[in-house]
Amino acid sequence: IEGLRLNPLRTLLSTLGVVIGVASLVAILAVGDGAEQWTRDQIAETTTLQGIAARAKTMEVVEGVRIGRERVDTLTEADATALSELFAARAHVWMTTESSVRFGSEPDSAPQVAVLTGIAGNPPADRWTMTAGRYLTPAEVEGGIMVAAVSPALADALQEADVGDVLGKDLWIDGEAVRVTGVLGSGFGVSPALHVPFSAARRLAPPGNGRPPPGVNIVVGQIEQVDGTIEEFRAWLRTRFSSDDGFTILTSGERVAQARQAFLVFKLVLGAITGISILVGGIGIMNVMLASVSERTREIGIRKAIGARRRDILWQFLAESVTVSAIGSALGVGVGLV
């Protein structure tokens, strides 16, 4: 510290160089991480790259002829719960079943047709946007409560003055009353549709009569987890049904690979820029210390004349450079975070 205080201007400039170098490094890393996270958020919100869908096979091709399978593997609510627990740490898992039903606003009103979707498991909270009201709660899904979130087309079919007026109304399906909790967003097509808990859908539209078996949907937290999750899901199917041949697994495989490659290139470019910043900062510190040694040849000569060893002088300059680097780095990290 005393040695550094003898030439405050040189010490200040040396420290300032370290501050600028470290601050630039931290800022580049922060901006890079922010840009990557923003990109990941956009992918999660606007694409299906992180999604995996599994559908039971109902048909197979034998000697060039397409025929129905002798055995169709069917999933249950217990399977949805088991899968949700298996992937709880990194993915949302939910099961859906679809069928067509007739509904009316009164028990004896003229029936209309709608697509009924049963939901089980743990869908993401922001999976479905809402025009009014709310979506089904986890407690309602688990308990099989007779409630529904309806599409805008179905809300219009009820002929209320405002879309929000359908909230709390009862729909009548096969003699059962289903209460409306919300109206889905505008991206649900032009056909009347409603989402209900899975067990409620089984009561309102029992399986059979050509209806497709339930399917599984999985949304992982990051693109890099897609392949590993598929392998785990296949292993679970082999445990549950002794084989995974009974299901077709759908993903955006090529687009996922492209996205992973893009992230890899982005990290390599960011690493190269970071490496250049570190190299420039190191060269700057080296030049400052070289100039410091050159300017202090008289001091070094006097110290050697009174018995200082080469190692003592080396440790003196090394201690000064470490002190400047430590103080400059601490200040630079603060500036870079800001």
Side-chain angles (χ1 to χ4, degrees):
I1 297 296
E2 287 298 322
L4 293 174
R5 289 179 60 187
L6 292 176
N7 196 326
L9 181 59
R10 182 179 65 226
T11 301
L12 177 62
L13 294 177
S14 301
T15 306
L16 183 60
V18 178
V19 170
I20 294 174
V22 173
S24 300
L25 173 63
V26 173
I28 289 173
L29 291 174
V31 170
D33 285 346
E36 179 180 349
Q37 187 59 50
W38 180 85
T39 304
R40 289 183 181 276
D41 291 342
Q42 291 300 305
I43 289 175
E45 293 174 5
T46 61
T47 72
T48 58
L49 294 185
Q50 295 172 201
I52 303 167
R55 299 293 180 262
K57 295 179 181 178
T58 58
M59 306 292 291
E60 61 183 349
V61 178
V62 178
E63 298 180 355
V65 179
R66 187 176 175 85
I67 62 174
R69 288 174 60 93
E70 293 182 0
R71 191 193 78 177
V72 176
D73 296 331
T74 304
L75 297 169
T76 65
E77 285 184 274
D79 294 326
T81 301
L83 286 170
S84 296
E85 293 175 353
L86 178 63
F87 298 114
R90 63 183 183 281
H92 289 276
V93 183
W94 71 101
M95 194 165 62
T96 59
T97 178
E98 291 189 354
S99 57
S100 298
V101 295
R102 297 182 182 276
F103 74 95
S105 57
E106 299 292 340
D108 54 352
S109 61
Q112 303 180 66
V113 179
V115 177
L116 178 73
T117 300
I119 304 292
N122 179 33
D126 56 352
R127 178 71 181 179
W128 292 282
T129 58
M130 304 300 295
T131 300
R134 60 170 178 82
Y135 195 69
L136 312 177
T137 65
E140 290 170 342
V141 171
E142 184 176 353
I145 308 301
M146 300 295 279
V147 293
V150 303
S151 67
L154 191 147
D156 291 339
L158 297 177
Q159 298 180 347
E160 297 289 346
D162 185 76
V163 68
D165 293 340
V166 303
L167 301 180
K169 299 287 185 180
D170 286 338
L171 301 178
W172 291 87
I173 303 174
D174 197 22
E176 297 268 10
V178 181
R179 181 148 297 179
V180 177
T181 64
V183 179
L184 297 165
S186 58
F188 286 86
V190 296
S191 300
L194 64 158
H195 290 193
V196 300
F198 191 87
S199 57
R202 288 302 181 96
R203 288 172 54 188
L204 297 171
N209 299 327
R211 297 188 181 100
V216 173
N217 303 280
I218 304 173
V219 175
V220 297
Q222 292 187 337
I223 288 178
E224 291 81 0
Q225 297 173 329
V226 171
D227 291 341
T229 301
I230 291 176
E231 291 304 317
E232 286 193 48
F233 180 63
R234 288 189 180 278
W236 181 86
L237 288 176
R238 289 191 289 270
T239 301
R240 173 69 171 82
F241 298 104
S242 73
S243 172
D244 59 3
D245 293 336
F247 286 83
T248 299
I249 297 179
L250 308 172
T251 63
S252 304
E254 293 183 359
R255 296 173 63 197
V256 169
Q258 291 173 349
R260 282 205 302 262
Q261 186 176 13
F263 281 128
L264 177 60
V265 172
F266 180 80
K267 289 179 179 179
L268 290 175
V269 172
L270 183 62
I273 295 173
T274 302
I276 293 173
S277 299
I278 294 175
L279 179 63
V280 171
I283 292 175
I285 295 174
M286 181 183 69
N287 289 337
V288 169
M289 297 313 302
L290 179 61
S292 175
V293 172
S294 300
E295 293 175 2
R296 297 165 65 182
T297 53
R298 176 175 296 183
E299 175 189 342
I300 295 171
I302 293 174
R303 291 200 61 195
K304 293 184 70 175
I306 60 176
R309 294 168 298 178
R310 180 183 181 87
R311 183 174 60 186
D312 298 327
I313 297 172
L314 176 63
W315 275 109
Q316 176 189 351
F317 284 96
L318 183 60
E320 292 181 9
S321 64
V322 169
T323 302
V324 169
S325 299
I327 296 174
S329 296
L331 295 174
V333 168
V335 173
L337 289 176
V338 171

